[in-house]
Amino acid sequence: MPVLTDVHEATQCAEVAQAVDVLQIPAFLCRQTDLLLAAAATGKVVNVKKGQFLAPWDMANVVSKITGGGNPNVLVTERGASFGYNTLVSRYARAADPGAHPPARRSSSTPPIRLQQPGGKGGSSGGEREFVTVLARAAVAVGVAGVFIETHPDPDQRAIGRTQHGAAARI
């Protein structure tokens, strides 16, 4: 099974790349040039989560940094956009429009199925995991190439992400 993990600093990329198949850039770091170039330099697949503050077409610059660094192995994960407070929304029409996404392998979760509500529980993020299966099916129905689904055998026992991750057995 391929292993994917986040990197948060450019100095982590080379070492982490020795142990994983995919380096993932978190949404809030998706425009950090030094991090993108360091991830690209590893030659590993780089999955970049689109920042909730960006339009899908704004990711073209992100993809260009990685491919310009010599790495054509780029995935872009749509995370939705901030809508009001504590809510991320997905617009499925954008997922069905190939012109809305940069020229990268769109085999990530476009649109997102991570049902996160940033800060939705007051001191932590919340979510609505009961919709994971429904939204995953909707994403496939509009033509995405694939989905990433974060799962756990027993989500209620997770230290973080309890409310937005699906139970592995249900997925």
Side-chain angles (χ1 to χ4, degrees):
M1 175 177 295
V3 176
L4 173 149
T5 193
D6 285 3
V7 287
H8 295 91
E9 297 179 7
T11 58
Q12 298 172 337
C13 293
E15 183 176 354
V16 172
Q18 294 175 33
V20 302
D21 301 290
V22 181
L23 297 177
Q24 180 166 275
I25 309 297
F28 287 121
L29 299 175
C30 72
R31 296 190 53 167
Q32 300 299 312
T33 300
D34 61 335
L35 180 58
L36 296 171
L37 293 176
T42 68
K44 293 287 185 170
V45 174
V46 179
N47 180 46
V48 185
K49 290 183 175 180
K50 181 188 78 64
Q52 296 88 333
F53 47 86
L54 293 176
W57 46 89
D58 292 333
M59 289 298 286
N61 293 329
V62 173
V63 171
S64 293
K65 288 177 184 179
I66 297 169
T67 58
N71 188 340
N73 304 309
V74 184
L75 301 173
V76 174
T77 298
E78 170 64 72
R79 292 288 313 280
S82 296
F83 183 76
Y85 299 106
N86 307 119
T87 305
L88 297 178
V89 296
S90 304
R91 185 165 179 229
Y92 285 97
R94 298 301 344 152
D97 177 4
H101 302 280
R105 292 176 16 199
R106 289 189 314 266
S107 59
S108 56
S109 54
T110 308
I113 55 172
R114 182 172 180 161
L115 302 163
Q116 189 174 11
Q117 296 170 319
K121 295 183 69 87
S124 65
S125 290
E128 299 173 312
R129 73 170 160 219
E130 64 270 22
F131 296 114
V132 168
T133 304
V134 172
L135 292 180
R137 289 179 178 151
V140 171
V142 299
V144 300
V147 293
F148 287 128
I149 300 176
E150 294 182 50
T151 65
H152 190 275
D154 186 356
D156 291 328
Q157 299 305 313
R158 285 181 53 100
I160 59 171
R162 288 186 189 122
T163 59
Q164 67 258 30
H165 288 89
R170 288 190 45 218
I171 306 296

